[in-house]
């Protein structure tokens, strides 16, 4: 396979975007943003380090080269029913991601750029191994100069359990600076979109009936980018019509590389149990199949044991995870969770505690790959 020379750290700007998590007086482990910045210094010495956060944030003692302060655009809500069925307000933070990412990338000066959340850290530089690895492109929907590398976490496979097209991860992006900036230089969302189903019924295939948004945050950002270049007639988050599935796959195969998060060298400091959802996410092997289908018919896909494990997990474990930990995720899950807890509360709490304990242990195991 053809590869470009490995990108030097001195050619990279790292934009750490989002709120500063942790105060100067907190214990070292609680200063998440400081740990993120230090991890970049450790693994990419010589890279330009841009911290893009909110005006007035306490940045005392944080190691960065460039500080970008933006006015917080505020968060929208996506639980907009008159009877307030959600027990707590549900945030829709697309605009915060867009503003801090876009403004930070505009301030970056190196030819390559990384967009990194302020509660994620680098554990290595595996993402550099994927630069230029997949050179073939389709002439259709080739809208980026080069592919942007994204993690598999929250890059949802719409042909699996999630049924959400156009849903690449928005937590980490790496590629040419102008390409990553292009993805994030999009219009802000408004309440009409986040409260779309506050005034209209959910379609029958819309599974997350506890939310009112038309698109998830990830979908909104990716669709807003794509719609700068052509029409994408996605009706709602679960619009899995055949033409939408094919177009979603084409845009991901032709403009992105989806890589398993462990291979990239990333660690999520905020969402310790997020691994449990990998059953609905793309594996790198599944993305390679899209690359072969839409870009390079002669490409030979290697075996994908991660996919085999994922399919077993999605079939036998993930439904129980949702019952035990995400009772708001869908009506059928909510009913099962509520009924179990009401009839046998001690059994429910004990099972949930045991499951989360085991899940935490698995997430720390050195052999684990997501």
């Amino acid at each position: 396979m053809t590869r470009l020379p490995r990108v030097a750290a001195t050619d990279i700007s790292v934009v750490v975007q989002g709120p500063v998590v942790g105060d100067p007086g907190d214990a070292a482990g609680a200063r998440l943003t400081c740990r993120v910045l230090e991890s970049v210094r450790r693994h990419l010495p010589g890279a330009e380090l841009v911290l893009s956060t909110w005006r007035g944030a306490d940045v005392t003692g944080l190691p960065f080269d460039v500080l970008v302060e933006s006015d917080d655009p505020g968060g929208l809500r996506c639980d907009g029913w008159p009877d307030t069925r959600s027990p707590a307000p549900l945030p829709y933070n697309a605009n915060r991601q867009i503003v801090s990412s876009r403004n930070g990338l505009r301030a970056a000066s190196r030819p390559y750029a990384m967009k990194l959340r302020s509660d994620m850290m680098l554990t290595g530089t595996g993402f550099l191994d994927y630069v230029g690895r997949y050179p073939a492109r389709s002439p259709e929907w080739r809208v980026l100069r080069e592919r942007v590398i994204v993690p598999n976490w929250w890059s949802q496979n719409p042909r699996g359990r999630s049924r959400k097209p156009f849903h690449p991860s928005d937590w980490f992006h790496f590629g040419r600076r102008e390409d990553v900036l292009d993805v994030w230089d999009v219009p802000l969302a408004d309440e009409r979109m986040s409260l779309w189903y506050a005034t209209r019924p959910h379609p029958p295939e819309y599974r997350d009936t506890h939310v009112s948004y038309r698109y998830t945050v990830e979908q909104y950002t990716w669709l807003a980018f794509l719609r700068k270049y052509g029409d994408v007639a996605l009706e709602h988050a679960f619009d899995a019509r055949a033409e939408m599935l094919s177009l979603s796959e084409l845009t991901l195969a032709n403009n992105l590389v989806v890589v398993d998060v462990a291979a990239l060298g990333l660690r999520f400091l905020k969402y310790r149990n997020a691994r449990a959802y990998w059953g609905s996410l793309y594996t790198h092997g599944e993305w390679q199949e899209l690359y072969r289908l839409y870009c390079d018919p002669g490409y030979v896909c290697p075996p994908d044991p991660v996919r085999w494990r994922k399919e077993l997990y999605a079939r036998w474990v993930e439904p129980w995870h949702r019952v035990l930990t995400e009772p708001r995720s869908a009506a059928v899950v909510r009913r099962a969770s509520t009924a179990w807890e009401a009839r046998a509360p001690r059994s429910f709490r004990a099972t949930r505690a045991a499951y989360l304990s085991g899940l935490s242990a698995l997430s720390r195991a050195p052999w684990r790959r997501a």
Side-chain angles (χ1 to χ4, degrees):
M1 291 179 291
T2 303
R3 299 191 192 186
L4 296 177
R6 189 174 174 91
V7 177
T10 52
D11 289 329
I12 299 172
S13 295
V14 178
V15 176
V16 175
Q17 57 81 211
V20 172
V21 183
D23 296 322
D26 291 344
R31 299 191 66 193
L32 301 191
T33 301
C34 185
R35 293 170 62 189
V36 172
L37 295 166
E38 289 173 347
S39 75
V40 175
R41 289 284 194 228
R42 183 164 57 254
H43 293 287
L44 291 172
E48 179 182 54
L49 189 44
V50 179
L51 176 61
S52 182
T53 189
W54 308 126
R55 200 175 310 281
D58 190 343
V59 298
T60 304
L62 297 180
F64 54 81
D65 299 315
V66 179
L67 176 65
V68 176
E69 295 180 294
S70 304
D71 292 325
D72 186 349
L76 302 173
R77 287 185 60 170
C78 58
D79 59 349
W81 294 277
D83 58 351
T84 315
R85 282 181 273 178
S86 294
L90 294 178
Y92 191 86
N93 286 325
N95 293 343
R96 286 176 166 148
Q97 279 240 60
I98 292 168
V99 169
S100 58
S101 299
R102 179 181 60 200
N103 291 353
L105 289 162
R106 285 175 175 171
S109 65
R110 307 285 174 85
Y112 286 86
M114 175 193 301
K115 178 266 193 214
L116 185 68
R117 279 174 52 139
S118 60
D119 53 11
M120 297 168 52
M121 65 186 294
L122 293 184
T123 61
T125 57
F127 59 92
L128 294 175
D129 295 336
Y130 295 87
V131 176
R133 179 179 286 193
Y134 303 98
R137 306 285 292 275
S138 167
E140 297 182 81
W141 281 96
R142 179 176 178 169
V143 293
L144 293 177
R145 177 180 174 184
E146 294 181 10
R147 285 186 170 87
V148 168
I149 298 163
V150 303
N152 67 322
W153 279 5
W154 308 127
S155 294
Q156 298 205 19
N157 186 340
R159 296 192 187 272
R161 296 176 65 88
S162 82
R163 307 299 289 169
K164 294 176 184 174
F166 301 96
H167 202 292
S169 175
D170 61 4
W171 285 6
F172 166 96
H173 286 169
F174 180 79
R176 287 278 181 181
R177 187 193 75 90
E178 62 265 37
D179 287 333
V180 182
L181 175 57
D182 195 9
V183 171
W184 288 98
D185 192 8
V186 296
L188 299 184
D190 58 28
E191 286 190 343
R192 182 172 177 269
M193 205 283 301
S194 70
L195 300 178
W196 187 260
Y197 290 112
T199 57
R200 49 176 64 85
H202 290 87
E205 64 272 27
Y206 201 105
R207 299 183 179 183
D208 294 343
T209 55
H210 66 293
V211 294
S212 59
Y213 53 65
R214 187 178 187 181
Y215 309 126
T216 68
V217 170
E218 294 89 346
Q219 288 174 311
Y220 174 79
T221 306
W222 185 239
L223 288 168
F225 160 67
L226 292 176
R227 285 168 174 166
K228 294 192 293 184
Y229 296 95
D231 180 51
V232 181
L234 190 74
E235 292 294 331
H236 54 77
F238 293 89
D239 181 6
R241 290 173 292 160
E243 60 269 30
M244 290 296 100
L245 295 180
S246 296
L247 184 56
S248 175
E249 292 173 344
L250 171 61
T251 60
L252 263 67
N254 213 25
N255 297 285
L256 304 177
V257 183
V258 178
V259 182
D260 297 349
V261 69
L264 291 177
L266 291 176
R267 181 183 171 194
F268 297 83
L269 300 176
K270 185 176 180 181
Y271 298 106
R272 294 185 178 181
N273 291 326
R275 290 179 184 267
Y277 292 95
W278 67 294
S280 64
L281 309 179
Y282 277 110
T283 67
H284 181 56
E286 288 171 330
W287 180 87
Q288 287 175 304
E289 291 179 358
L290 300 183
Y291 174 74
R292 178 188 58 79
L293 177 63
Y294 292 99
C295 303
D296 187 358
Y299 180 77
V300 179
C301 297
D304 185 11
V306 177
R307 177 180 182 177
W308 304 335
R309 297 203 311 269
K310 184 191 77 167
E311 290 174 349
L312 289 172
Y313 172 86
R315 181 175 180 85
W316 299 108
V317 179
E318 186 178 15
W320 289 106
H321 173 91
R322 293 166 70 85
V323 167
L324 290 167
T325 66
E326 295 290 333
R328 294 186 310 193
S329 59
V332 64
V333 174
R334 184 163 58 246
R335 288 194 296 269
S337 179
T338 302
W340 184 1
E341 189 172 16
R343 294 176 181 175
R346 294 180 61 182
S347 169
F348 179 85
R349 288 194 295 267
T351 304
R352 183 177 186 276
Y355 174 74
L356 291 177
S357 178
L359 187 65
S360 180
L362 283 173
S363 70
R364 295 192 300 269
W367 49 265
R368 185 74 169 85
R369 292 292 183 269

